[in-house]
């Protein structure tokens, strides 16, 4: 996404041609690096079939399934899982730190992807059906804010207040804690599921929690919202913004009923969220000086404008476990990352503004994405990711380099990159040797391993192949949202019907998460909230 010479040239061209035209040109270039949807294959089977082209409970595939013999003359094609998993472990709990990202970046990434990367896993009964099928998904395949609203009508109805009384139209249910609005409790004080929330997916992992600990968990549309306080705080922010917008719409349209207020507020939230995805999140991972804009017109006549269908590869490449540090500073406390799991009490005790400030603080910098840098408590997550890739017969790392119009790595030294720093150079030399021991030849390296073996790009938190695939999918999935279509956004009357003038102003006036935090808390007081470290300097 850019280097110093390219940045200078791009600045000159932008000044001459105009930002919108360059924005369109670059987005099309990024999306067109790989195949556009619909893909011929899915995880249903290894050949093309009608069901594979239409059953969206399976993931699509960017590349066809690839099967490997157990071994060949060069050694084991797929080394033992335990040996591969060790590649991800941070040595002696010493993680490399990311120089650009705060922990707000992986928190937002998790909340974003939890809405559409929904591998078919479940809790043990009575908290779920204990069915796991890592070829399948429960995703709606859209950026539809399902962690907030639920993935179906029954779940949405359970989370709504559903009242036409004054000051209640269109609202989502809340509870008050410490004078602030939070999602309602999912379980009662004894740890029993509240009957009104029986249609919700219960939080993944709740079957392992003691009953008393369940009382702090929130009722939410996503079964991963309660995983950590930094994800729960994201959902809380959008809950408050929804209810703020509903109050605005009710005041401006007193004749509207509860349903219309709710649906219009949801439209505004989805558009606002997509704007944050592109203008803060994508611009954070962007390595260029050019700032992308969420202009929906880019997609209106694009060849890649097709209905969304998440791929098996996309469900793997977003497992950014190594961004999460082993320990987090929370005020005067230093907390083991594993102790954040299902710990909403930290969030409600601190308050929403403090939580966003904590995860934006340089003391809570994200750790660096890559092999040899995952926290100990996330080791099992890496094992499951490698197993999922193998279950779905994902093609090799070099196959995806080629599919994304990149040069294949000719050697393990090409794969791990050439770094001048002597300490990092030695680490990467040892990594190349270990990869050679495990895989024999670079063409055998698995997709999930190769993604994170590459070095991160200058001025960004992601490696090259991962960055290209994220950019391709992010733009092609965000800008194809039906609310952003020519027939809604491109038609003045329909745009007002979908969003209202006040809603349009709310979105266009929002540039970053900090704007939303400031208007939904009373105690931010100008403190920094952001995904990019406050004092980060471009190299």
């Amino acid at each position: 996404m850019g280097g110093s010479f390219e940045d200078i040239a791009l600045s000159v061209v932008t000044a001459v041609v105009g930002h919108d035209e360059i924005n369109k040109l670059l987005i099309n270039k990024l999306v067109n690096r790989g195949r556009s949807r619909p893909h011929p294959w899915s995880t249903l089977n290894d050949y093309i079939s009608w069901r594979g082209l239409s059953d969206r409970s399976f993931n699509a595939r960017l590349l066809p399934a690839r099967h490997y013999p157990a071994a060949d003359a060069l050694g084991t094609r797929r080394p033992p899982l335990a040996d591969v998993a060790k590649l991800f472990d941070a040595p002696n709990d010493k993680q490399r730190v990311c120089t650009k990202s705060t922990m707000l970046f992986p928190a937002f990434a998790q909340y974003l992807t939890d809405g559409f990367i929904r591998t078919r896993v479940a809790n043990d009964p009575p908290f779920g059906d204990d069915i796991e099928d890592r070829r399948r998904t429960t995703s709606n395949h859209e950026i539809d804010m399902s962690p907030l609203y639920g993935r179906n009508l029954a779940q949405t109805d359970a989370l709504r207040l559903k009242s036409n009384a004054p000051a209640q139209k269109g609202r989502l249910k809340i509870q008050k804690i410490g004078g602030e609005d939070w999602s309602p409790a999912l379980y009662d004080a004894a740890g029993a599921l509240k009957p009104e929330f029986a249609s919700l997916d219960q939080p993944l992992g709740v079957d392992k929690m003691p009953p008393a600990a369940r009382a702090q968990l929130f009722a939410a549309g996503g079964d991963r919202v309660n995983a950590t306080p930094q994800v729960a705080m994201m959902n809380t922010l959008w809950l408050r913004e929804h209810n703020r917008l509903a109050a605005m719409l009710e005041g401006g349209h007193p004749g509207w009923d509860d349903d219309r207020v709710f649906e219009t507020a949801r439209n505004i939230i989805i558009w606002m969220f997509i704007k944050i995805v592109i203008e803060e999140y994508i611009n954070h991972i962007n390595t260029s000086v050019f700032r992308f804009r969420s202009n929906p017109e880019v997609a209106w006549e694009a060849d890649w404008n097709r209905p969304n269908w998440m791929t098996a590869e996309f469900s793997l490449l977003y497992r950014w476990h190594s961004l999460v540090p082993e320990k987090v500073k929370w005020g005067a406390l230093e907390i083991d990352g594993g102790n954040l799991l299902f710990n909403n009490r930290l969030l409600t005790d601190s308050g929403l503004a403090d939580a966003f400030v904590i995860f934006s603080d340089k003391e809570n910098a994200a750790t660096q994405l890559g092999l040899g840098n995952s926290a100990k408590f996330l080791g099992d997550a890496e094992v499951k990711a490698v197993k999922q890739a193998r279950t779905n017969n994902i093609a090799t790392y070099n196959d995806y380099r080629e599919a994304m119009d990149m040069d294949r790595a000719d050697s393990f030294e090409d794969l791990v990159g050439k770094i001048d720093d002597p300490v990092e150079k030695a680490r990467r030399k040892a990594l190349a040797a270990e990869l050679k021991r495990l895989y024999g030849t670079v063409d055998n390296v698995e997709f999930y391993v190769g993604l994170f073996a590459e070095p991160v790009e200058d001025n960004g938190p992601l490696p090259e192949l991962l960055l290209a695939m994220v950019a391709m999918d992010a733009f092609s999935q965000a800008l194809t949202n039906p609310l952003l279509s020519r027939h809604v956004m491109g038609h003045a009357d329909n745009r007002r019907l979908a969003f209202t003038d006040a809603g349009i102003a709310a979105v266009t006036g929002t540039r970053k998460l900090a704007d939303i935090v400031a208007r939904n808390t009373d105690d931010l007081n100008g403190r920094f909230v952001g995904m990019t470290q406050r004092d980060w300097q471009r190299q």
Side-chain angles (χ1 to χ4, degrees), residues 263-275:
E263 296 294 354
T264 306
R266 177 157 66 171
N267 290 350
I268 299 168
I269 286 288
I270 291 171
W271 179 20
M272 187 181 293
F273 186 77
I274 290 171
K275 186 177 184 190

Side-chain angles (χ1 to χ4, degrees), residues 118 123 127 138 150-152 155 186-187 197-204 218 220-224 226:
R118 294 184 51 86
N123 296 313
F127 302 95
T138 57
R151 58 187 177 84
N152 57 46
Q155 292 181 350
L186 181 59
Y187 302 95
F197 299 125
S199 61
L200 299 182
D201 299 319
Q202 296 191 59
L204 287 177
F218 296 138
D223 53 10
R224 296 156 174 87
N226 288 284

Side-chain angles (χ1 to χ4, degrees), residues 251-303:
H253 304 272
W256 283 10
D257 64 8
D258 173 65
D259 284 338
R260 185 162 186 185
V261 172
F262 171 80
E263 296 294 354
T264 306
R266 177 157 66 171
N267 290 350
I268 299 168
I269 286 288
I270 291 171
W271 179 20
M272 187 181 293
F273 186 77
I274 290 171
K275 186 177 184 190
I276 295 294
V277 168
I278 292 175
E279 298 193 2
E280 183 168 16
Y281 170 74
I282 291 295
N283 278 328
H284 173 75
I285 68 173
N286 178 18
T287 60
S288 168
V289 294
F290 184 83
R291 305 291 292 176
F292 288 99
R293 292 177 183 168
S294 58
N295 182 355
E297 294 182 31
V298 170
W300 290 352
E301 296 181 355
D303 290 341

